[in-house]
Amino acid sequence: TALSHLVGIHTRPDPLFNELHTGIKNVHEDNTVKDTYLQALRGCVKNSGDKLSPAIRRGVTTTLTSLIANIEDATRMAAAGCLGSLMRWLPDEEQAPILTDLLTEDAGAEWTDKHGKSTA
């Protein structure tokens, strides 16, 4: 998308990442708005995740890890794809606990949680 290319050439992309993150966190009547924000963030992170500031990166990571258990299939899968794109840019100390959580099976977990983790 055009936005993912803009983030790549922008010297200070934090406001763009922050705007996408805020859009994801906001409650929307229509989940397709949240899903669209997630897809836009995924494209930006895929190409320029190294430009995320630590504070925004941690906030985005927290939001995405909570959304991979979302009851809505499309939101859960979009969040999982976005988290998967983000993983390559995370420092080891942030990446390791997420990988451990994603790869640890919890027999009592809801199917949505299992699906989201396996998709990420």
Side-chain angles (χ1 to χ4, degrees):
T1 66
L3 185 58
S4 64
H5 294 293
L6 178 63
V7 169
I9 62 171
H10 206 284
T11 57
R12 294 190 58 237
D14 277 351
L16 297 170
F17 282 120
N18 197 36
E19 184 70 26
L20 291 170
H21 185 224
T22 300
I24 292 166
K25 292 188 305 182
N26 287 340
V27 177
H28 304 283
E29 278 186 32
D30 184 3
N31 278 335
T32 58
V33 174
K34 181 182 291 196
D35 299 344
T36 301
Y37 274 111
L38 284 164
Q39 291 296 346
L41 181 63
R42 181 181 184 177
C44 292
V45 166
K46 179 182 174 189
N47 294 331
S48 303
D50 58 330
K51 293 186 173 194
L52 275 164
S53 71
I56 293 176
R57 184 182 65 233
R58 285 189 294 271
V60 166
T61 302
T62 301
T63 300
L64 294 175
T65 54
S66 69
L67 286 175
I68 61 171
N70 192 285
I71 192 70
E72 295 292 330
D73 288 342
T75 301
R76 184 175 55 252
M77 291 187 291
C82 193
L83 181 61
S85 293
L86 178 63
M87 290 298 288
R88 75 181 240 190
W89 303 110
L90 295 179
D92 291 341
E93 63 272 7
E94 292 177 28
Q95 191 181 74
I98 295 169
L99 285 174
T100 300
D101 182 53
L102 291 174
L103 298 174
T104 303
E105 185 176 346
D106 180 6
E110 292 288 327
W111 74 268
T112 54
D113 191 35
K114 291 178 181 181
H115 177 248
K117 287 180 176 183
S118 68
T119 307

